[in-house]
Amino acid sequence: MNQRKLMFDKIIKENQFKTKCVIAIYLLIFILIGLLADIVRLDASSLGNGFYQLLTFKSFPIITFALSTIAVLIILFAIRNFKRILLSGNEYKEIIYGKEENAQERELSKILDELVKVANLSFRPKLFLMEAPFMNAFASGWEEQNSLIAVTTTLVRNLSREELKAVVAHELSHIRHGDIRLTLMVGILSNIMLLVVNYGVQHLPARQKGAQTARTILMILQFVLPLLTLVLQMFLSRSREYMADSGAAYLMNDNAPMIRALQKISGNYAQSDFSQADTNPTRSALYIFNPKELFSTHPSIENRIQALLQK
């Protein structure tokens, strides 16, 4: 057990380091885009002079400041409304601790309690049962205290108790690792960056050499940035999925239930197309399984199972 814990702790540290690197890259690109747009706005004589004026605040970086403010406001809005945003489109019910109405709800609540105890947590996420014809689950919440785990009714009906427990353990691991904050922040920053790049190219005139150079860089970013953000998002999300799978195996002290659950969930999607049934796209990156194969935010089931077999 101690050896498994050491191995798991090592995986956690490695993934946390990779995550910090990706976030640092995101923030640097975010600031760079704002400064380039400000250089075009100032119609700077040279690129170096433009950066100097802005970084020393001899000219206030209005666009950079506005970008940051908008990002913070959107993040705050998402934090306040994440439950309504993510659960909309389907009927759902919160399973309130001590007020479960049937055996299914009591079993789900008991499973979560067992995992919270094993993980030695000081918080208990809210638990939701979502009416849906597909097998899936997701977690959300900016902080541990306002976190939630949602599982679909079809998932609960088709998994054994141990498999369902592994899925809940996977989602609980996402919350423990702070993955939800990262997913939210990266998604918002990516969209704002793309909007500003397009605006800078199409609406900001550039007459002097420095402004023209900045505008040219923004024009290049207009094509490069979507691919770069996609690659970074895929790397970040996939590494977090492997990490949550490992967390589930660690909490269960067994990798077999997680493997069986992944096989059953992917098999469910292989039998039916649920694109019309699942009308809320905001959940797709948070699901335990993403049916998209090309440019998916999730690793393939085969790779996830192979990683679990090495645990």
Side-chain angles (χ1 to χ4, degrees):
M1 184 68 178
N2 289 334
Q3 187 176 358
R4 291 184 70 255
K5 186 179 187 305
L6 288 172
M7 185 182 296
F8 180 68
D9 289 341
K10 181 182 177 183
I11 294 171
I12 293 285
K13 288 179 181 178
E14 288 175 353
N15 279 281
Q16 285 176 341
F17 175 74
K18 292 176 184 177
T19 300
K20 288 176 182 177
C21 291
V22 173
I23 293 299
I25 292 171
Y26 258 98
L27 293 175
L28 287 173
I29 295 173
F30 186 81
I31 294 170
L32 175 63
I33 288 172
L35 292 174
L36 288 170
D38 271 312
I39 288 172
V40 178
R41 176 185 60 82
L42 292 173
D43 200 23
S45 57
S46 71
L47 198 62
N49 182 59
F51 277 120
Y52 174 77
Q53 292 287 326
L54 294 167
L55 292 173
T56 58
F57 288 93
K58 291 187 176 181
S59 294
F60 189 75
I62 296 174
I63 294 178
T64 307
F65 179 78
L67 273 181
S68 302
T69 303
I70 291 170
V72 170
L73 290 175
I74 294 175
I75 288 172
L76 289 174
F77 175 81
I79 291 171
R80 291 178 62 89
N81 297 276
F82 73 89
K83 185 178 79 173
R84 177 176 57 83
I85 294 170
L86 292 171
L87 291 170
S88 65
N90 295 81
E91 292 185 15
Y92 60 89
K93 178 184 181 182
E94 182 178 357
I95 301 175
I96 301 174
Y97 180 68
K99 296 183 179 180
E100 300 88 350
E101 295 182 358
N102 53 53
Q104 183 186 72
E105 292 181 10
R106 284 191 292 273
E107 191 64 20
L108 266 173
S109 191
K110 187 177 179 181
I111 284 173
L112 180 56
D113 285 341
E114 290 172 1
L115 290 168
V116 167
K117 185 178 180 180
V118 170
N120 194 27
L121 301 180
S122 60
F123 68 96
R124 185 184 192 274
K126 290 183 179 180
L127 187 59
F128 287 86
L129 188 60
M130 188 173 75
E131 185 65 43
F134 48 85
M135 296 170 62
N136 228 317
F138 67 87
S140 188
W142 184 258
E143 296 176 330
E144 294 175 344
Q145 285 69 29
N146 67 3
S147 58
L148 67 84
I149 293 173
V151 295
T152 65
T153 50
T154 305
L155 182 86
V156 174
R157 285 196 300 266
N158 287 277
L159 295 187
S160 70
R161 188 184 193 279
E162 288 299 289
E163 292 160 359
L164 181 58
K165 189 174 180 179
V167 169
V168 176
H170 173 101
E171 300 305 338
L172 187 62
S173 295
H174 273 309
I175 297 169
R176 293 177 70 201
H177 303 158
D179 296 347
I180 314 305
R181 292 193 295 271
L182 294 171
T183 303
L184 177 63
M185 186 172 74
V186 166
I188 290 172
L189 292 181
S190 297
N191 285 305
I192 293 175
M193 287 191 293
L194 290 170
L195 286 172
V196 172
V197 165
N198 292 333
Y199 177 81
V201 169
Q202 297 175 16
H203 300 288
L204 292 177
R207 291 177 292 275
Q208 297 204 57
K209 186 177 180 180
Q212 290 174 352
T213 303
R215 192 171 182 274
T216 300
I217 295 173
L218 288 174
M219 194 176 298
I220 295 171
L221 286 173
Q222 196 173 23
F223 299 97
V224 174
L225 194 58
L227 179 60
L228 178 62
T229 53
L230 177 62
V231 170
L232 288 175
Q233 282 180 310
M234 285 172 61
F235 169 78
L236 184 63
S237 182
R238 290 184 179 191
S239 66
R240 307 314 280 189
E241 288 304 314
Y242 283 125
M243 198 168 160
D245 285 346
S246 298
Y250 174 71
L251 290 175
M252 297 285 294
N253 196 27
D254 186 7
N255 57 13
M258 189 75 249
I259 291 173
R260 293 197 304 269
L262 289 173
Q263 289 171 332
K264 287 186 178 180
I265 294 169
S266 62
N268 175 244
Y269 276 86
Q271 293 174 2
S272 303
D273 178 14
F274 296 112
S275 57
Q276 300 301 315
D278 191 5
T279 58
N280 189 337
T282 61
R283 297 189 293 250
S284 61
L286 300 179
Y287 277 142
I288 191 171
F289 174 72
N290 189 332
K292 295 179 181 178
E293 294 184 3
L294 187 63
F295 302 125
S296 174
T297 54
H298 289 44
S300 68
I301 290 296
E302 293 76 15
N303 287 342
R304 290 172 70 176
I305 290 174
Q306 187 60 39
L308 280 165
L309 288 172
Q310 297 171 5
K311 299 294 180 287

